[in-house]
């Protein structure tokens, strides 16, 4: 299975190239929320998009889409064009788009309208804008995909699980090409207040660019972000027949569940996901050169994952965490992590983890800090874990 196209719109850039360049430069896409509605919130920072997705779409179409759906469509169009618009039978083309909250902004916004202005002012487009399968549906319509449009909703593992499902669809012979990824847009007072009340969100309101600090001894929580990323997956023979040049191979995926706790991760589930991905790729732990960590910057979560990585693949791989720059994109996080892992394999360079001033001594891993690390990356492991005990790990290898 090969990756032939990449698309993204993130807090670091409106496309893949600008996002990747900003990652390598160690920039931050986390900024203060200037809107009046945030003034009284305990959390007033977020990873907002660098480019407005609606500006890249038809005006009427954009008005009928939730921001999450806009993000998905923008990223998917870039990925499809990047892949060279494969000439594939529509019945052999599928879409898998994960999301954690779907059209949350529409749901909350239209509920406000219902309460304050009455039923006649509610948009007739409300339901297709808020439904979680909206991103997958819009992308499938845009690409003409008739081989299935699927929507994994597994919290912060959704995007990675979508890519794993894309791999399965091709391996099972149900598709030749799959557009897979994730999209999320839920920067809103309610999620911000909820995470603040749970003590999960950083409160460094005066230092937005320094707030997300995975593996750092002084981390105090994650930062909410928005964005999306999509990869085009192809059966290797199909890609070769049309002369496509792959970025990397998607060699293996591991998806597990903890069956443990609704918010607290269990290391066993993470270890099993990584081991399954590595084994499915036909590799051993010592073959993994790089780990793109889930690493959200929460005090406990980072330590659980660090221990899981050490148990699953050892302490040799170079580890990094792009959430230090983008914040946590929830349902899109795994897709963006996968995209970064693919580019690390292609370019032989691993972005540094931003804000790692003092490595937590309990981490015990080789965390890339300061400057990007250059050298051959033959195999990269990308992790994504979510509330509810969802775990997804992906292995990408050089072609």
């Amino acid at each position: 299975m090969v990756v032939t196209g990449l698309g993204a719109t993130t807090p670091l850039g409106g496309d893949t190239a600008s996002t990747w360049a900003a990652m390598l430069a160690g920039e931050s896409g986390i900024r203060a929320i200037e809107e009046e509605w945030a003034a009284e919130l305990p959390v007033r920072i977020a990873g907002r998009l660098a480019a407005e997705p609606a500006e890249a779409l038809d005006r009427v179409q954009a008005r009928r889409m939730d921001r999450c759906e806009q993000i998905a469509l923008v990223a998917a169009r870039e990925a499809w064009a990047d892949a060279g618009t494969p000439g594939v039978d529509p019945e052999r083309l599928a879409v898998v788009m994960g999301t954690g909250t779907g059209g949350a902004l529409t749901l909350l916004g239209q509920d406000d309208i219902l309460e304050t202005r009455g039923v006649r002012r509610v948009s007739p487009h409300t339901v297709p804008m808020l439904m979680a399968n909206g991103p997958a549906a819009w992308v499938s319509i845009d690409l003409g995909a008739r081989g299935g449009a699927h929507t994994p909703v597994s919290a912060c593992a959704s995007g990675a699980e979508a890519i794993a499902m894309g791999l399965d669809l091709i391996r099972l012979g149900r598709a030749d090409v799959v557009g897979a990824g994730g999209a999320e847009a839920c920067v809103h007072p309610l999620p911000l207040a909820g995470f603040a009340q749970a003590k999960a969100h950083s409160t460094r309101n005066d230092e937005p660019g320094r707030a997300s600090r995975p593996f750092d001894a002084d981390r105090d929580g994650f930062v909410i972000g928005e964005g999306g990323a999509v990869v085009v997956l192809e059966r290797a023979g199909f890609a070769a027949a049309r002369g496509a040049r792959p970025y990397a191979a998607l060699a293996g995926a591991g998806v597990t569940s903890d069956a443990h706790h609704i918010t607290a991760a269990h290391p066993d589930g993470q270890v099993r996901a990584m081991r399954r991905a590595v084994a499915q790729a036909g590799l051993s732990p010592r073959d993994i050169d790089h780990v793109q960590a889930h690493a959200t910057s929460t005090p406990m979560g980072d330590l659980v994952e660090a221990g899981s990585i050490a148990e699953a693949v050892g302490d040799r791989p170079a580890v990094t965490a792009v959430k230090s720059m983008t914040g946590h994109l929830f349902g899109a996080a795994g897709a963006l992590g996968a995209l970064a892992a693919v580019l690390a394999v292609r370019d032989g360079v691993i972005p540094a983890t931003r804000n790692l001033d003092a490595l937590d001594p309990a981490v015990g891993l080789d965390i890339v800090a300061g400057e990007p690390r250059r050298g051959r990356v033959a195999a990269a492991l990308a992790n994504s874990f979510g509330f509810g005990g969802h775990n997804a790990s992906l292995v990408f290898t050089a072609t």
Side-chain angles (χ1 to χ4, degrees):
M1 215 66 51
V2 292
V3 179
T4 59
L6 301 175
T9 181
T10 75
L12 293 174
D15 57 18
T16 299
S18 57
T19 294
W20 183 235
M23 282 183 182
L24 295 180
E27 297 175 6
S28 175
I30 299 169
R31 299 172 180 82
I33 301 173
E34 304 292 349
E35 287 90 339
E36 186 177 339
W37 55 256
E40 302 302 319
L41 290 174
V43 171
R44 298 184 295 279
I45 56 176
R48 310 292 288 272
L49 287 176
E52 283 299 315
E55 295 178 2
L57 303 173
D58 174 80
R59 183 176 62 86
V60 174
Q61 182 186 46
R63 289 182 60 187
R64 296 177 178 179
M65 302 173 71
D66 183 82
R67 187 173 178 86
C68 177
E69 296 170 338
Q70 295 173 359
I71 288 169
L73 192 54
V74 168
R77 284 180 174 176
E78 183 195 358
W80 192 247
D82 187 45
T85 60
V88 58
D89 178 351
E91 299 287 345
R92 303 287 298 168
L93 171 61
V95 167
V96 192
M97 288 296 302
T99 183
T101 62
L105 297 183
T106 293
L107 175 63
L108 295 167
Q110 291 298 312
D111 182 65
D112 286 343
I113 289 173
L114 176 64
E115 296 293 332
T116 60
R117 301 172 67 186
V119 65
R120 293 184 178 275
R121 301 310 297 266
V122 171
S123 170
H125 304 291
T126 294
V127 173
M129 290 173 70
L130 67 81
M131 61 192 193
N133 63 302
W138 274 110
V139 172
S140 69
I141 292 167
D142 197 65
L143 300 184
R146 299 175 61 181
H150 308 277
T151 306
V153 179
S154 44
C156 308
S158 301
E161 202 166 315
I163 295 172
M165 185 180 292
L167 175 64
D168 286 344
L169 287 172
I170 296 175
R171 282 184 166 168
L172 289 170
R174 295 176 182 172
D176 293 317
V177 182
V178 178
E184 201 77 271
C186 57
V187 179
H188 180 279
L190 185 60
L192 284 164
F195 283 121
Q197 288 295 97
K199 309 298 182 186
H201 201 292
S202 172
T203 54
R204 281 187 169 87
N205 294 313
D206 296 330
E207 300 180 296
R210 292 178 54 77
S212 184
R213 39 197 325 112
F215 301 121
D216 187 79
D218 197 30
R219 65 192 182 279
D220 72 328
F222 68 79
V223 177
I224 191 172
E226 60 180 1
V230 174
V231 301
V232 174
L233 305 174
E234 297 190 40
R235 183 169 52 81
F238 184 88
R242 70 180 190 88
R245 294 184 177 180
Y247 284 94
L250 174 55
V255 177
T256 66
S257 53
D258 292 348
H260 168 64
H261 191 275
I262 198 65
T263 57
H266 194 290
D268 173 69
Q270 298 180 0
V271 171
R272 286 186 291 112
M274 285 183 266
R275 285 178 172 168
R276 286 185 186 181
V278 172
Q280 191 179 95
L283 302 176
S284 68
R286 64 178 177 274
D287 295 319
I288 301 300
D289 300 312
H290 165 46
V291 176
Q292 179 59 243
H294 179 65
T296 63
S297 185
T298 59
M300 184 57 67
D302 286 7
L303 287 185
V304 171
E305 183 180 10
S308 299
I309 291 171
E311 184 175 346
V313 296
D315 59 6
R316 186 190 70 83
V319 179
T320 198
V322 297
K323 291 183 184 68
S324 61
M325 295 173 270
T326 65
H328 191 357
L329 274 54
F330 298 157
L336 182 59
L339 181 145
V342 167
L343 290 171
V345 170
R346 183 196 69 173
D347 294 346
V349 58
I350 300 168
T353 302
R354 183 181 167 89
N355 298 322
L356 189 59
D357 299 330
L359 179 65
D360 186 329
V363 169
L365 296 173
D366 177 15
I367 310 296
V368 180
E371 296 293 329
R373 187 173 301 178
R374 299 184 181 277
R376 185 169 186 266
V377 179
L381 174 70
N383 284 336
S384 192
F385 311 127
F387 277 4
H390 302 277
N391 310 297
S393 296
L394 307 168
V395 171
F396 297 95
T397 58
T399 56

